[in-house]
Amino acid sequence: MTHGDTLVAQGLVKSYGGVRALDGAGIRLRGGEVHALVGENGAGKSTLVRILAGALAPDEGAVRLAKDTRIATVSQELSLFPDLTVRENLFPHRPPLRLGLLDRGAMDRAARPVLEELGLDVDLGTELGELPLADQQLTEIARALLRRPRLLILDEPTSALPAAAVERLERVLRTLTGRGIAVLYVTHFLEEVMRTAQRVTVLRDGRVASAGVRRTEVTVPELVTAMLGGRPEQSARRTRTVADVPPPVVLSGVNVPGRLTDVTFTVRAGEVVGVAGLQGAGHLDALEVVCGRAEVSAGRVDVGGRGQPHSLRAAVRAGVAFVPSDRKRYGLMVDRTVWENTTAVSWLALGRGGFMPSRSELVRRTANLTERLRLRGGPYDMVARLSGGNQQKVVFAKWLATEPKIVVLDDPTRGVDVGVRAEMHRIVGELATSGAAVLLASTDLAELTEVCDRVLVFVRGRVVGEVHGARLTEHALAVAMQQGATPSI
């Protein structure tokens, strides 16, 4: 370590089973600097942060700290207690005592300057769960600062914060670095990196693609290139016949308070339209409008020729199939058989097959679907015993059984292997070819470029552009999502 270094990590290797999450990664953090850590999903950021914080031991490599360095970490997932007061959340360990009792006065005197610095004006006796999510996140940051750390790790700290709170946090970071504190700032918002950080490290596939480059010496497109690497870009677009009929999905001037502003787009029968954006950009909210899970305050919505659905059940009756990203929570009954899952919507919700179809008929339909999807498992197998990829195929089978006109997919291949991913893409293509309108969101930019005919880019609740044809590449999407405009390529 050199003078001014707070932490130096070198040669870090960490494997989970046969997968290497980190492969020789490292980072150097200096006092008085905000050092941003960026990379795609799965690049190894979370594993690196856990090792630096001491929550995980590396298989190889070393982490060295300057003397008397205290580390505080603020994670993306809040670790607070909503049923306790703000005061109790700020002092979860070793609170000040007086005569064996909690010294609320001492707690308040210690907390107030930190809360004022964060611009958080709340009653310390308020139950935390009553506060807005943004204030809860700032409370967690305040708790970390009360430990007086020399190294503060912020893992996606602004994911739940409105713009004004983000600005307050950035001002606080300038104050902290002015005191010599080192800040590791993990984020996927590159615009925040360009405003806040002094240095940037890029992780790609568990390795350092760019080490501690000065923020003034790099641009957003260059950071995107470092994150994506030299992958071959998808440029030859597929050709599909788009039906010359009224579009099954129409949104015109749609507003959802705090989430969408003047969103307008259509999805025609026979095409796959992607929606892309950073966390909270509004693209997933648009899916919820189509699926009847979000109410609009203005604008026109027409789904399947039936107007705006006001519930998921109404959307299903309009011909919508919804494949969620969290299959175990929303997509499956894991304690039931394959046939019970695949017929749950078509029979129970839509009444396909009559009031009381025979079990043999439902099993026969399931067998046809599982064969079509190449599912490794029979109709009577318990879903809980299937692999993750085959569980996702069961979700697809459930919705294919409804013969949908509109298919809404939210990260449909998350957590599946390469082979299953390719099969899912084949199925999506078949659905569009058969005349369905497909609306696809994915955190995997490569998936959007491989599957979609065009992609709508969302930034801060608005559609800022559309990328299609030869321009539809991972790089173009990433830059558009960060800069708020579709680049000319």
Side-chain angles (χ1 to χ4, degrees):
M1 297 180 68
T2 61
H3 179 71
D5 287 340
T6 298
L7 177 148
V8 176
Q10 295 175 311
L12 297 179
V13 174
K14 185 64 182 180
S15 297
Y16 298 97
V19 179
R20 275 205 170 185
L22 291 181
D23 189 9
I27 195 167
R28 181 184 296 268
L29 305 177
R30 296 178 173 88
E33 287 187 347
V34 175
H35 194 129
L37 178 65
V38 300
E40 285 192 289
N41 291 330
K45 302 189 300 296
S46 295
T47 300
L48 177 58
V49 164
R50 292 182 65 198
I51 289 175
L52 299 183
L56 186 68
D59 299 332
E60 299 176 25
V63 177
R64 290 176 291 168
L65 292 170
K67 185 179 179 180
D68 298 327
T69 295
R70 292 185 301 276
I71 301 175
T73 303
V74 176
S75 301
Q76 181 178 8
E77 300 296 331
L78 298 181
S79 58
L80 301 171
F81 304 96
D83 295 333
L84 299 182
T85 66
V86 173
R87 180 186 297 110
E88 290 165 333
N89 273 280
L90 290 174
F91 297 91
H93 306 296
R94 299 181 181 177
L97 301 177
R98 187 169 182 268
L99 301 177
L101 301 175
L102 289 178
D103 189 343
R104 290 184 173 84
M107 295 165 76
D108 291 359
R109 287 191 296 274
R112 279 298 171 197
V114 175
L115 297 181
E116 289 173 5
E117 199 168 43
L118 289 171
L120 184 57
D121 184 14
V122 296
D123 184 341
L124 293 177
T126 302
E127 195 171 283
L128 185 83
E130 298 178 3
L131 299 182
L133 184 58
D135 285 353
Q136 292 184 34
Q137 183 121 29
L138 288 174
T139 300
E140 179 137 32
I141 293 171
R143 183 172 71 178
L145 294 178
L146 282 167
R147 296 179 56 190
R148 300 184 181 277
R150 299 307 300 167
L151 169 58
L152 177 63
I153 300 176
L154 299 176
D155 188 0
E156 303 287 1
T158 63
S159 58
L161 299 184
V166 173
E167 292 174 3
R168 288 203 304 269
L169 177 59
E170 291 174 356
R171 288 196 298 269
V172 170
L173 292 181
R174 288 192 288 271
T175 300
L176 296 177
T177 53
R179 298 177 189 164
I181 295 174
V183 178
L184 178 62
Y185 193 89
V186 186
T187 184
H188 57 266
F189 293 106
L190 296 186
E191 61 181 18
E192 291 179 9
V193 172
M194 303 307 287
R195 289 197 308 265
T196 306
Q198 281 73 54
R199 296 181 186 273
V200 188
T201 289
V202 180
L203 282 187
R204 184 176 71 244
D205 299 328
R207 301 178 179 179
V208 174
S210 180
V213 63
R214 290 187 179 276
R215 181 255 301 165
T216 54
E217 298 174 357
V218 71
T219 65
V220 167
E222 288 170 344
L223 288 175
V224 169
T225 298
M227 290 165 58
L228 298 177
R231 301 179 192 164
E233 295 281 18
Q234 182 82 11
S235 59
R237 311 310 309 148
R238 70 220 41 81
T239 56
R240 271 190 286 265
T241 301
V242 177
D244 187 19
V245 296
V249 177
V250 177
L251 273 68
S252 179
V254 166
N255 286 359
V256 175
R259 298 162 70 184
L260 296 176
T261 303
D262 196 26
V263 168
T264 297
F265 66 84
T266 62
V267 185
R268 297 169 292 175
E271 70 173 345
V272 180
V273 175
V275 292
L278 300 176
Q279 185 171 335
H283 55 305
L284 300 182
D285 299 299
L287 298 190
E288 293 203 343
V289 169
V290 175
C291 293
R293 300 175 67 183
E295 289 291 334
V296 305
S297 60
R300 182 174 74 92
V301 179
D302 188 10
V303 175
R306 295 193 178 192
Q308 178 188 351
H310 296 285
S311 67
L312 181 56
R313 181 181 291 271
V316 170
R317 288 175 176 166
V320 175
F322 173 55
V323 178
S325 59
D326 190 341
R327 57 178 174 265
K328 290 187 177 179
R329 184 176 180 186
Y330 298 113
L332 292 171
M333 299 178 290
V334 294
D335 58 343
R336 299 295 182 90
T337 62
V338 171
W339 78 262
E340 288 173 298
N341 274 271
T342 57
T343 59
V345 178
S346 60
W347 172 40
L348 294 177
L350 297 178
R352 301 271 172 85
F355 176 71
M356 188 60 69
S358 67
R359 175 182 292 193
S360 60
E361 174 61 18
L362 296 177
V363 169
R364 184 190 66 79
R365 294 178 188 175
T366 297
N368 289 338
L369 286 168
T370 58
E371 182 178 354
R372 175 183 173 186
L373 296 176
R374 302 171 188 171
L375 187 148
R376 294 183 180 178
Y380 291 103
D381 285 343
M382 298 298 293
V383 167
R385 297 178 182 174
L386 300 180
S387 68
N390 282 296
Q391 288 183 354
Q392 188 70 333
K393 288 183 180 182
V394 173
V395 178
F396 265 75
K398 177 178 73 174
W399 290 107
L400 290 178
T402 69
E403 300 177 354
K405 296 186 294 184
I406 302 156
V407 181
V408 179
L409 306 169
D410 180 7
D411 246 355
T413 63
R414 188 179 72 170
V416 302
D417 61 36
V418 175
V420 173
R421 182 177 185 271
E423 291 182 22
M424 297 294 182
H425 291 178
R426 173 183 62 81
I427 296 163
V428 171
E430 288 178 358
L431 287 168
T433 300
S434 67
V438 181
L439 191 57
L440 169 66
S442 178
T443 54
D444 184 350
L445 298 186
E447 180 165 62
L448 293 172
T449 65
E450 292 166 13
V451 177
C452 298
D453 300 301
R454 54 193 177 95
V455 177
L456 306 169
V457 179
F458 283 69
V459 174
R460 298 188 184 90
R462 297 177 181 269
V463 178
V464 298
E466 177 184 304
V467 187
H468 61 273
R471 296 176 56 229
L472 182 46
T473 65
E474 291 178 66
H475 192 277
L477 286 178
V479 171
M481 288 160 56
Q482 293 287 351
Q483 296 188 325
T486 50
S488 299
I489 298 179

